[in-house]
Every structure is written in structure tokens, then in C-alpha cells.
Amino acid sequence: MNAYATPLTSAAARCPHPLLDSILDHLSLKNDAALAKALNIAPPRISKIRRGHMEVSAALLLRLHEVANIPVADLRRMVQVAQQAEPKPSN
């Protein structure tokens, strides 16, 4: 099992995202709003990533590394897993 895995709760249960869920667990945060605050980004950005309407940018990946102290290589692997499991946006 991945060291950064997390049980799904709240928004994560409705729309799981391996990277975001792992970071929430790793930082012991309760929800996406708390994650957005920790990363100093707007909460809608987390929502868009979770729902597959926005990709994780290189800048956000580096911010995740700085805040969560997770190696960039591990974060990149989590992004790849998330992209494979990502729901297709509905129009």
C-alpha cells in the first residue's frame, strides 16, 4: 500500500483523486478547503483538479513538494496515477 494513501471522505468520496487524497492524508487535513489554504491557492482550483477540469501544473507540483515535503518523483507518480483514473469532464 502507498505510504501516502488515504481513506475517502467528503469530496474525496464523491470524486476521488489519488494525488489530492494522498496529500490531504499526509498533511492531516480534513478537506479540500484546508488543502487550498495550506497551498495558498483558491479552493475552486482544487475542485477543478479533483473533477478533471484542470491539470496539476508544474508550479502546483513544486508547491505540493514544498508544503508536504514529498519528493517530486513521488508526486509525479501520483499525478500519473491520477491522470489514469481521472474522470472525463462532461459538457
Side-chain angles (χ1 to χ4, degrees):
M1 176 144 198
N2 186 336
Y4 304 111
T6 182
L8 300 179
T9 59
S10 65
R14 294 187 303 275
C15 191
H17 189 282
L19 173 64
L20 297 179
D21 298 337
S22 295
I23 299 297
L24 281 171
D25 184 55
H26 183 72
L27 295 175
S28 300
L29 299 173
K30 292 184 179 184
N31 54 42
D32 288 350
L35 178 58
K37 185 175 182 177
L39 296 173
N40 198 29
I41 63 173
R45 188 167 172 194
I46 297 291
S47 180
K48 287 177 183 176
I49 292 168
R50 183 172 292 286
R51 296 195 181 346
H53 295 282
M54 179 183 281
E55 292 186 9
V56 176
S57 67
L60 181 57
L61 194 70
L62 288 175
R63 185 74 184 132
L64 287 166
H65 164 69
E66 292 168 352
V67 171
N69 199 27
I70 297 174
V72 173
D74 290 351
L75 291 169
R76 289 182 66 191
R77 277 194 286 291
M78 286 187 261
V79 168
Q80 290 172 344
V81 168
Q83 288 173 338
Q84 292 171 355
E86 190 171 88
K88 300 296 179 208
S90 58
N91 295 338

